[in-house]
Coordinates of all heavy atoms in Angstrom, one line a residue:
M51 N 129.6 86.4 73.1 CA 129.7 85.7 71.8 C 128.3 85.3 71.4 O 127.5 84.8 72.3 CB 130.6 84.5 71.8 CG 132.1 84.9 71.8 SD 133.1 83.4 71.5 CE 132.8 82.5 73.0
T52 N 128.0 85.3 70.1 CA 126.8 84.9 69.6 C 127.0 83.9 68.4 O 127.8 84.2 67.6 CB 126.0 86.1 69.0 OG1 125.9 87.2 70.1 CG2 124.5 85.8 68.5
K53 N 126.3 82.9 68.4 CA 126.4 81.9 67.2 C 125.5 82.4 66.2 O 124.3 82.6 66.4 CB 125.9 80.5 67.8 CG 126.4 79.3 66.8 CD 126.1 78.1 67.4 CE 126.8 76.9 66.6 NZ 126.6 75.6 67.2
V54 N 126.1 82.4 65.0 CA 125.4 82.9 63.7 C 125.5 82.1 62.6 O 126.5 81.1 62.6 CB 125.8 84.4 63.5 CG1 125.4 85.3 64.6 CG2 127.2 84.4 63.0
K55 N 124.9 82.3 61.5 CA 125.0 81.7 60.2 C 124.8 82.8 59.1 O 124.0 83.8 59.4 CB 124.2 80.6 59.9 CG 122.7 80.8 59.9 CD 121.8 79.7 59.7 CE 120.3 80.0 59.8 NZ 119.4 78.9 59.6
N56 N 125.4 82.8 58.1 CA 125.3 83.8 57.0 C 123.9 83.6 56.4 O 123.4 82.5 56.3 CB 126.3 83.6 55.9 CG 127.7 84.2 56.4 OD1 127.8 85.4 56.7 ND2 128.8 83.4 56.3
V57 N 123.4 84.8 55.9 CA 122.1 84.7 55.2 C 122.4 84.5 53.7 O 123.2 85.3 53.1 CB 121.3 86.0 55.4 CG1 120.0 86.0 54.5 CG2 121.0 86.1 56.9
N58 N 121.9 83.5 53.1 CA 122.2 83.3 51.6 C 121.3 84.2 50.8 O 120.1 84.4 51.1 CB 121.8 81.8 51.3 CG 122.7 80.8 51.8 OD1 124.0 81.1 52.0 ND2 122.3 79.6 52.2
G59 N 121.9 84.7 49.7 CA 121.2 85.6 48.8 C 121.0 87.0 49.2 O 120.2 87.8 48.6
S60 N 121.6 87.4 50.4 CA 121.2 88.8 50.8 C 122.0 89.9 50.1 O 121.7 91.1 50.2 CB 121.6 88.9 52.4 OG 123.0 88.6 52.5
S61 N 123.0 89.4 49.2 CA 123.8 90.5 48.5 C 122.9 91.4 47.5 O 123.3 92.4 47.0 CB 124.9 89.9 47.7 OG 124.4 89.0 46.8
R62 N 121.7 90.9 47.2 CA 120.8 91.6 46.4 C 120.2 92.9 47.0 O 119.7 93.7 46.3 CB 119.7 90.7 45.9 CG 118.6 90.3 46.9 CD 117.6 89.3 46.3 NE 116.6 89.0 47.3 CZ 116.6 88.0 48.2 NH1 117.7 87.2 48.2 NH2 115.6 87.8 49.1
F63 N 120.3 93.0 48.3 CA 119.7 94.1 49.0 C 120.9 95.2 49.2 O 121.9 95.0 49.6 CB 119.3 93.7 50.4 CG 118.1 92.8 50.4 CD1 118.4 91.5 50.8 CD2 116.9 93.2 50.0 CE1 117.2 90.6 50.7 CE2 115.8 92.4 50.0 CZ 116.0 91.0 50.3
E64 N 120.5 96.3 48.7 CA 121.4 97.5 48.7 C 121.4 98.1 50.2 O 120.5 97.9 50.9 CB 121.0 98.6 47.7 CG 121.2 98.1 46.3 CD 121.0 99.2 45.3 OE1 121.2 100.4 45.7 OE2 120.6 98.9 44.2
S65 N 122.5 98.7 50.5 CA 122.6 99.3 51.8 C 121.5 100.4 51.9 O 121.0 101.0 50.9 CB 123.9 99.9 52.1 OG 124.3 100.8 51.0
P66 N 121.1 100.7 53.2 CA 120.0 101.8 53.4 C 120.4 103.1 52.8 O 121.6 103.4 52.7 CB 119.9 101.8 54.9 CG 120.4 100.5 55.4 CD 121.5 100.1 54.4
A67 N 119.4 103.9 52.4 CA 119.6 105.3 51.9 C 120.5 106.0 52.9 O 120.3 106.0 54.2 CB 118.3 106.0 51.8
G68 N 121.5 106.7 52.4 CA 122.4 107.5 53.2 C 123.7 106.7 53.5 O 124.6 107.4 54.1
Y69 N 123.9 105.5 53.2 CA 125.0 104.7 53.5 C 125.6 104.1 52.2 O 124.8 103.6 51.4 CB 124.7 103.5 54.4 CG 124.1 104.1 55.8 CD1 122.8 104.2 56.0 CD2 125.0 104.5 56.8 CE1 122.4 104.7 57.3 CE2 124.6 105.0 58.0 CZ 123.3 105.0 58.2 OH 122.7 105.5 59.5
D70 N 126.9 104.2 52.0 CA 127.5 103.7 50.8 C 127.6 102.2 50.9 O 127.4 101.5 49.9 CB 128.9 104.2 50.6 CG 128.9 105.7 50.3 OD1 127.9 106.2 49.7 OD2 129.9 106.4 50.6
T71 N 127.7 101.6 52.1 CA 127.9 100.2 52.2 C 127.2 99.7 53.5 O 126.9 100.5 54.4 CB 129.4 99.7 52.3 OG1 129.9 100.3 53.6 CG2 130.2 100.2 51.2
W72 N 126.9 98.4 53.6 CA 126.4 97.9 54.8 C 127.5 98.0 56.0 O 127.0 98.1 57.2 CB 126.1 96.4 54.6 CG 124.7 96.2 53.9 CD1 124.6 95.9 52.6 CD2 123.5 96.5 54.5 NE1 123.3 95.8 52.4 CE2 122.5 96.2 53.4 CE3 123.0 96.8 55.7 CZ2 121.1 96.2 53.7 CZ3 121.6 97.0 55.9 CH2 120.7 96.7 54.9
L73 N 128.7 98.0 55.7 CA 129.7 98.2 56.7 C 129.6 99.6 57.3 O 129.7 99.8 58.5 CB 131.1 97.9 56.2 CG 132.2 97.9 57.2 CD1 132.0 96.8 58.2 CD2 133.6 97.6 56.5
D74 N 129.4 100.6 56.4 CA 129.2 102.0 56.9 C 127.9 102.1 57.8 O 128.0 102.8 58.8 CB 129.0 102.9 55.7 CG 130.1 103.1 54.9 OD1 131.3 102.9 55.4 OD2 130.0 103.5 53.7
Y75 N 126.9 101.3 57.4 CA 125.7 101.3 58.2 C 126.0 100.7 59.6 O 125.6 101.2 60.6 CB 124.6 100.5 57.5 CG 123.3 100.2 58.3 CD1 122.3 101.2 58.3 CD2 123.1 99.0 58.9 CE1 121.2 101.0 59.0 CE2 121.9 98.8 59.6 CZ 120.9 99.8 59.6 OH 119.8 99.6 60.4
W76 N 126.7 99.5 59.7 CA 127.1 99.0 60.9 C 127.9 99.9 61.9 O 127.6 100.0 63.0 CB 127.9 97.6 60.7 CG 128.2 96.9 61.9 CD1 127.5 96.1 62.7 CD2 129.4 97.2 62.7 NE1 128.1 95.7 63.8 CE2 129.3 96.3 63.9 CE3 130.5 98.0 62.6 CZ2 130.3 96.3 64.8 CZ3 131.5 97.9 63.5 CH2 131.4 97.1 64.6
E77 N 128.8 100.5 61.3 CA 129.6 101.5 62.0 C 128.8 102.6 62.6 O 129.0 102.9 63.8 CB 130.8 102.1 61.1 CG 131.8 101.1 60.9 CD 133.0 101.6 60.1 OE1 132.8 102.5 59.2 OE2 134.1 101.2 60.3
D78 N 127.9 103.2 61.8 CA 127.0 104.2 62.3 C 126.2 103.8 63.4 O 126.0 104.5 64.4 CB 126.3 104.8 61.2 CG 125.3 106.0 61.6 OD1 125.9 107.0 62.1 OD2 124.2 105.9 61.4
K79 N 125.6 102.7 63.2 CA 124.5 102.2 64.2 C 125.2 101.6 65.5 O 124.6 101.6 66.6 CB 123.6 101.1 63.6 CG 122.8 101.7 62.4 CD 121.9 102.9 62.9 CE 121.1 103.4 61.8 NZ 120.3 104.6 62.1
S80 N 126.4 101.0 65.3 CA 127.1 100.5 66.5 C 127.9 101.4 67.3 O 128.2 101.3 68.5 CB 128.0 99.3 66.1 OG 129.0 99.7 65.3
G81 N 128.2 102.6 66.6 CA 129.1 103.6 67.2 C 130.6 103.1 67.3 O 131.4 103.7 67.9
K82 N 130.9 102.1 66.4 CA 132.3 101.5 66.5 C 132.9 101.6 65.1 O 132.2 101.9 64.0 CB 132.2 100.0 66.8 CG 131.7 99.8 68.3 CD 131.7 98.3 68.6 CE 131.5 98.1 70.1 NZ 132.0 96.7 70.5
T83 N 134.2 101.4 65.0 CA 134.9 101.3 63.7 C 135.3 99.9 63.4 O 135.9 99.3 64.3 CB 136.1 102.3 63.8 OG1 135.7 103.6 64.0 CG2 136.9 102.2 62.5
A84 N 135.0 99.4 62.3 CA 135.3 98.1 62.0 C 136.7 97.9 61.6 O 137.2 98.8 60.7 CB 134.4 97.6 60.8
S85 N 137.5 97.0 62.3 CA 138.9 96.9 61.9 C 139.3 95.4 61.9 O 140.5 95.2 61.4 CB 139.7 97.7 62.9 OG 139.5 97.2 64.2
V86 N 138.5 94.5 62.3 CA 138.9 93.1 62.4 C 137.6 92.2 62.1 O 136.5 92.7 62.5 CB 139.4 92.8 63.8 CG1 138.5 93.0 64.9 CG2 140.0 91.4 63.8
C87 N 137.8 91.2 61.5 CA 136.7 90.2 61.3 C 136.1 89.8 62.6 O 136.8 89.5 63.6 CB 137.1 89.0 60.5 SG 135.9 87.8 60.1
S88 N 134.7 89.7 62.6 CA 134.1 89.5 63.9 C 134.0 87.9 64.3 O 133.7 87.6 65.4 CB 132.7 90.0 63.9 OG 132.6 91.4 63.8
A89 N 134.3 87.1 63.3 CA 134.3 85.6 63.6 C 135.4 85.4 64.5 O 136.6 85.8 64.4 CB 134.5 84.9 62.3
T90 N 135.1 84.7 65.7 CA 136.1 84.4 66.8 C 137.2 83.6 66.4 O 138.3 83.6 66.9 CB 135.3 83.8 67.9 OG1 134.7 82.5 67.6 CG2 134.3 84.7 68.5
D91 N 137.1 82.8 65.3 CA 138.1 81.9 64.8 C 138.9 82.5 63.5 O 139.6 81.8 62.9 CB 137.6 80.5 64.5 CG 136.5 80.4 63.5 OD1 136.0 81.5 63.0 OD2 136.2 79.4 63.1
C92 N 138.8 83.8 63.4 CA 139.4 84.5 62.2 C 140.2 85.6 62.7 O 139.8 86.3 63.7 CB 138.4 84.9 61.1 SG 139.1 85.7 59.7
Y93 N 141.3 85.8 62.1 CA 142.2 87.0 62.6 C 142.5 88.0 61.5 O 143.6 88.6 61.4 CB 143.5 86.4 63.2 CG 143.2 85.5 64.3 CD1 143.2 84.1 64.1 CD2 142.8 86.0 65.5 CE1 142.8 83.2 65.2 CE2 142.5 85.1 66.6 CZ 142.5 83.8 66.3 OH 142.2 82.9 67.4
T94 N 141.6 88.1 60.5 CA 141.7 89.1 59.4 C 141.6 90.5 59.9 O 140.5 90.9 60.5 CB 140.7 88.8 58.3 OG1 140.9 87.5 57.8 CG2 140.9 89.9 57.2
F95 N 142.6 91.4 59.7 CA 142.6 92.7 60.1 C 142.5 93.7 58.9 O 143.0 93.4 57.9 CB 143.9 93.1 61.0 CG 143.9 92.5 62.3 CD1 144.4 91.2 62.5 CD2 143.3 93.1 63.4 CE1 144.5 90.6 63.8 CE2 143.3 92.5 64.7 CZ 143.9 91.3 64.8
G96 N 142.0 94.8 59.2 CA 141.9 95.8 58.1 C 140.6 96.1 57.5 O 139.9 95.2 57.1
R97 N 140.1 97.3 57.7 CA 138.8 97.7 57.3 C 138.5 97.4 55.7 O 137.5 97.0 55.4 CB 138.4 99.2 57.6 CG 137.0 99.5 57.3 CD 136.6 101.0 57.5 NE 135.3 101.3 57.5 CZ 134.5 101.3 56.4 NH1 135.0 101.0 55.2 NH2 133.2 101.6 56.4
N98 N 139.6 97.6 55.0 CA 139.5 97.3 53.5 C 139.3 95.8 53.2 O 138.9 95.5 52.1 CB 140.7 97.9 52.8 CG 142.0 97.2 53.1 OD1 142.1 96.8 54.3 ND2 142.9 97.2 52.2
K99 N 139.5 95.0 54.2 CA 139.2 93.6 54.0 C 137.9 93.1 54.5 O 137.6 91.9 54.5 CB 140.3 92.8 54.7 CG 141.8 93.1 54.1 CD 142.8 92.3 54.8 CE 144.2 92.6 54.2 NZ 145.2 91.9 54.9
L100 N 137.1 94.0 55.0 CA 135.8 93.6 55.6 C 134.6 94.0 54.9 O 134.7 95.0 54.0 CB 135.7 94.3 57.1 CG 136.9 94.0 57.9 CD1 136.8 94.8 59.3 CD2 137.0 92.5 58.3
V101 N 133.5 93.4 55.1 CA 132.1 93.7 54.5 C 131.2 93.7 55.7 O 131.4 93.1 56.8 CB 131.7 92.8 53.5 CG1 132.7 92.8 52.2 CG2 131.6 91.3 54.0
G102 N 130.1 94.4 55.5 CA 129.0 94.3 56.4 C 128.1 93.1 56.0 O 127.4 93.2 55.1
A103 N 128.3 92.0 56.7 CA 127.7 90.8 56.4 C 126.3 90.6 57.0 O 126.1 90.9 58.2 CB 128.6 89.6 56.8
H104 N 125.3 90.1 56.3 CA 124.1 89.7 56.8 C 124.1 88.3 57.5 O 124.5 87.3 56.8 CB 123.0 89.7 55.7 CG 122.8 90.9 55.0 ND1 123.6 91.5 54.0 CD2 121.8 91.8 55.2 CE1 123.1 92.6 53.6 NE2 122.0 92.8 54.3
V105 N 123.7 88.3 58.7 CA 123.7 87.0 59.4 C 122.4 86.9 60.3 O 121.7 87.8 60.5 CB 124.9 86.9 60.5 CG1 126.3 86.9 59.7 CG2 124.9 88.0 61.5
Q106 N 122.1 85.6 60.7 CA 121.0 85.3 61.6 C 121.5 84.6 62.8 O 122.6 83.8 62.7 CB 120.0 84.4 60.9 CG 119.1 85.1 59.9 CD 118.2 84.0 59.3 OE1 118.5 83.0 58.8 NE2 116.9 84.3 59.5
K107 N 121.0 84.8 64.0 CA 121.3 84.1 65.1 C 120.9 82.6 64.9 O 119.8 82.4 64.4 CB 120.6 84.7 66.3 CG 121.1 86.1 66.7 CD 120.3 86.6 67.9 CE 120.7 88.0 68.2 NZ 119.9 88.6 69.3
V108 N 121.7 81.7 65.5 CA 121.4 80.3 65.3 C 120.5 79.8 66.4 O 119.5 79.0 66.1 CB 122.7 79.5 65.3 CG1 122.3 78.0 65.3 CG2 123.5 79.8 64.1
N109 N 120.7 80.2 67.6 CA 119.8 79.7 68.7 C 118.6 80.5 69.0 O 118.7 81.8 68.8 CB 120.7 79.6 70.1 CG 121.9 78.6 69.8 OD1 121.7 77.6 69.1 ND2 123.0 79.0 70.4
G110 N 117.5 80.0 69.4 CA 116.4 80.8 69.7 C 115.4 80.9 68.6 O 115.5 80.2 67.6
F111 N 114.5 81.8 68.8 CA 113.4 81.9 67.8 C 113.5 83.2 66.9 O 112.5 83.6 66.3 CB 112.0 81.9 68.5 CG 111.8 80.5 69.3 CD1 112.1 80.5 70.6 CD2 111.4 79.5 68.6 CE1 111.8 79.4 71.2 CE2 111.2 78.2 69.2 CZ 111.4 78.2 70.6
D112 N 114.7 83.8 67.0 CA 114.8 85.0 66.4 C 115.3 84.8 64.9 O 116.4 84.4 64.6 CB 115.9 85.9 67.1 CG 116.2 87.3 66.6 OD1 115.5 87.6 65.5 OD2 117.0 88.0 67.1
N113 N 114.4 85.1 64.0 CA 114.7 84.9 62.5 C 115.1 86.2 61.9 O 115.3 86.3 60.7 CB 113.5 84.4 61.8 CG 113.2 82.9 62.2 OD1 114.1 82.2 62.4 ND2 111.9 82.6 62.2
S114 N 115.4 87.2 62.7 CA 115.8 88.5 62.2 C 117.1 88.5 61.5 O 118.0 87.6 61.8 CB 115.8 89.6 63.3 OG 114.6 89.8 63.9
W115 N 117.4 89.4 60.6 CA 118.7 89.6 60.0 C 119.4 90.7 60.7 O 118.9 91.7 61.2 CB 118.6 90.0 58.5 CG 118.0 88.8 57.7 CD1 117.5 87.7 58.0 CD2 118.0 88.9 56.2 NE1 117.1 87.0 56.9 CE2 117.4 87.7 55.8 CE3 118.3 89.9 55.3 CZ2 117.2 87.4 54.4 CZ3 118.1 89.5 54.0 CH2 117.6 88.4 53.6
Y116 N 120.8 90.5 60.8 CA 121.7 91.5 61.4 C 122.9 91.7 60.5 O 123.2 90.8 59.7 CB 122.2 90.9 62.8 CG 121.1 90.7 63.8 CD1 120.4 89.4 63.9 CD2 120.7 91.7 64.6 CE1 119.3 89.2 64.8 CE2 119.7 91.5 65.5 CZ 119.0 90.3 65.6 OH 118.0 90.1 66.5
I117 N 123.5 92.8 60.8 CA 124.7 93.1 60.2 C 125.9 93.0 61.1 O 125.8 93.5 62.2 CB 124.7 94.5 59.5 CG1 123.6 94.7 58.6 CG2 126.1 95.0 58.9 CD1 123.7 93.9 57.3
V118 N 127.0 92.5 60.7 CA 128.2 92.3 61.5 C 129.4 92.4 60.5 O 129.4 91.9 59.4 CB 128.1 91.1 62.4 CG1 128.3 89.8 61.6 CG2 129.2 91.1 63.5
P119 N 130.5 92.9 60.9 CA 131.7 93.0 60.0 C 132.4 91.6 60.0 O 132.7 91.0 61.0 CB 132.7 93.9 60.7 CG 131.9 94.7 61.8 CD 130.8 93.8 62.2
L120 N 132.5 91.1 58.7 CA 133.2 89.9 58.5 C 134.2 90.1 57.3 O 133.9 90.9 56.4 CB 132.2 88.8 58.1 CG 131.3 88.3 59.1 CD1 130.3 87.2 58.4 CD2 132.0 87.7 60.3
C121 N 135.2 89.2 57.2 CA 136.1 89.3 56.1 C 135.4 88.6 55.0 O 134.3 87.9 55.1 CB 137.4 88.6 56.4 SG 137.3 86.8 56.6
R122 N 135.8 88.7 53.8 CA 135.1 88.2 52.6 C 135.1 86.6 52.7 O 134.1 86.0 52.3 CB 135.8 88.6 51.3 CG 135.5 90.0 51.0 CD 136.3 90.6 49.8 NE 135.9 92.0 49.6 CZ 136.3 93.1 50.2 NH1 137.2 92.9 51.3 NH2 136.1 94.3 49.9
G123 N 136.1 86.0 53.3 CA 136.1 84.6 53.5 C 135.1 84.1 54.4 O 134.3 83.2 54.1
C124 N 135.0 84.8 55.5 CA 133.9 84.4 56.5 C 132.6 84.8 56.0 O 131.6 84.1 56.4 CB 134.2 85.1 57.9 SG 135.7 84.4 58.7
N125 N 132.4 85.7 55.2 CA 131.2 86.1 54.6 C 130.6 85.0 53.7 O 129.4 84.9 53.4 CB 131.1 87.4 53.9 CG 129.8 87.9 53.4 OD1 128.9 87.8 54.3 ND2 129.7 88.6 52.3
N126 N 131.5 84.1 53.2 CA 131.1 83.0 52.4 C 130.9 81.7 53.1 O 130.7 80.6 52.5 CB 132.1 82.9 51.2 CG 132.0 84.0 50.3 OD1 130.9 84.5 49.9 ND2 133.1 84.5 49.8
R127 N 131.1 81.7 54.4 CA 131.0 80.4 55.2 C 129.6 79.9 55.1 O 128.6 80.7 55.0 CB 131.4 80.6 56.6 CG 132.9 81.0 56.8 CD 133.2 81.3 58.2 NE 133.1 80.3 59.2 CZ 133.7 80.2 60.3 NH1 134.5 81.2 60.7 NH2 133.6 79.1 61.1
T128 N 129.5 78.6 55.1 CA 128.2 77.9 55.1 C 127.9 77.2 56.4 O 126.8 76.7 56.7 CB 128.1 76.9 54.0 OG1 129.2 76.0 54.1 CG2 128.2 77.5 52.6
D129 N 129.0 77.2 57.4 CA 128.7 76.7 58.6 C 128.2 77.6 59.7 O 128.0 78.8 59.4 CB 130.1 76.1 59.2 CG 131.1 77.1 59.3 OD1 131.1 78.2 58.6 OD2 132.0 76.9 60.2
E130 N 128.0 77.2 60.8 CA 127.6 78.0 62.0 C 128.9 78.4 62.7 O 129.8 77.6 62.8 CB 126.6 77.4 62.9 CG 125.3 77.0 62.2 CD 124.4 76.2 63.1 OE1 124.8 75.7 64.1 OE2 123.2 75.9 62.6
F131 N 129.0 79.7 63.1 CA 130.2 80.2 63.8 C 129.8 81.2 64.8 O 128.7 81.8 64.8 CB 131.2 80.7 62.7 CG 130.8 81.7 61.8 CD1 131.0 83.0 62.1 CD2 130.0 81.4 60.7 CE1 130.5 84.1 61.3 CE2 129.5 82.4 59.8 CZ 129.8 83.6 60.1
Y132 N 130.8 81.5 65.7 CA 130.6 82.6 66.7 C 131.2 83.9 66.2 O 132.3 83.9 65.6 CB 131.3 82.1 68.0 CG 130.5 81.0 68.7 CD1 130.8 79.7 68.5 CD2 129.4 81.3 69.5 CE1 130.1 78.7 69.1 CE2 128.7 80.3 70.1 CZ 129.1 79.0 70.0 OH 128.4 78.0 70.6
V133 N 130.5 85.0 66.6 CA 131.0 86.3 66.4 C 131.1 87.0 67.7 O 130.3 86.7 68.6 CB 130.2 87.2 65.4 CG1 130.3 86.5 64.0 CG2 128.8 87.3 65.9
D134 N 132.0 87.9 67.9 CA 132.2 88.6 69.2 C 132.2 90.2 68.9 O 133.1 90.8 69.0 CB 133.6 88.2 69.7 CG 133.8 88.7 71.2 OD1 132.7 89.0 71.8 OD2 134.9 88.7 71.7
E135 N 131.0 90.5 68.3 CA 130.8 92.0 68.1 C 129.4 92.3 68.1 O 128.5 91.4 68.0 CB 131.4 92.2 66.6 CG 131.5 93.7 66.3 CD 132.3 94.5 67.4 OE1 131.6 95.0 68.2 OE2 133.6 94.6 67.3
V136 N 129.0 93.6 68.1 CA 127.7 94.0 68.2 C 126.9 93.5 66.9 O 127.4 93.7 65.8 CB 127.6 95.5 68.3 CG1 126.2 96.0 68.2 CG2 128.2 96.0 69.6
L137 N 125.7 93.0 67.0 CA 124.8 92.7 65.9 C 123.9 93.8 65.7 O 123.1 94.1 66.6 CB 124.1 91.4 66.1 CG 124.9 90.1 66.3 CD1 124.0 88.9 66.5 CD2 125.7 89.8 65.1
V138 N 124.0 94.4 64.5 CA 123.1 95.6 64.3 C 121.8 95.1 63.4 O 122.1 94.5 62.3 CB 123.8 96.7 63.5 CG1 122.8 97.8 63.1 CG2 124.9 97.3 64.4
P139 N 120.6 95.2 63.9 CA 119.5 94.8 63.1 C 119.4 95.4 61.7 O 119.6 96.6 61.5 CB 118.3 95.2 64.0 CG 118.8 95.5 65.3 CD 120.2 95.9 65.1
V140 N 119.1 94.6 60.8 CA 118.7 95.1 59.4 C 117.5 95.9 59.4 O 116.5 95.4 60.1 CB 118.8 94.0 58.4 CG1 118.3 94.5 57.0 CG2 120.1 93.3 58.2
P141 N 117.3 97.0 58.8 CA 116.0 97.7 58.8 C 114.9 96.8 58.2 O 115.1 96.0 57.3 CB 116.2 98.9 57.8 CG 117.7 99.1 57.8 CD 118.4 97.7 58.0
S142 N 113.7 96.9 58.8 CA 112.6 96.1 58.4 C 112.0 96.4 57.1 O 111.1 95.7 56.6 CB 111.5 96.1 59.5 OG 111.1 97.4 59.7
N143 N 112.4 97.6 56.5 CA 111.8 97.9 55.3 C 112.4 97.3 53.9 O 112.2 97.8 52.9 CB 111.7 99.5 55.2 CG 113.2 100.0 55.1 OD1 114.1 99.4 55.5 ND2 113.2 101.3 54.7
L144 N 113.3 96.3 54.1 CA 113.9 95.7 53.0 C 113.0 94.8 52.2 O 112.3 94.0 52.8 CB 115.2 95.0 53.4 CG 116.4 95.9 53.7 CD1 117.6 95.0 54.0 CD2 116.7 96.9 52.7

């Protein structure tokens, strides 16, 4: 598990070339299929209810942005929370 927080204002960044959505990007880079919200305290199921959310790790000195599948509700959270899924780094050319 990794403690994260949502990145505010990241919706202005379009998904990388060749990907329709950030969720598609996450699936390709992680080699997994998104089917459940990654927040450990959420039980939202169904790919159509998920987005590829921009998050940052809370602990440590890593200010990088990552993509992880979250439901729309968890994508709007302002608190810190745990995710139990692969964090895929956002390309540095944004």
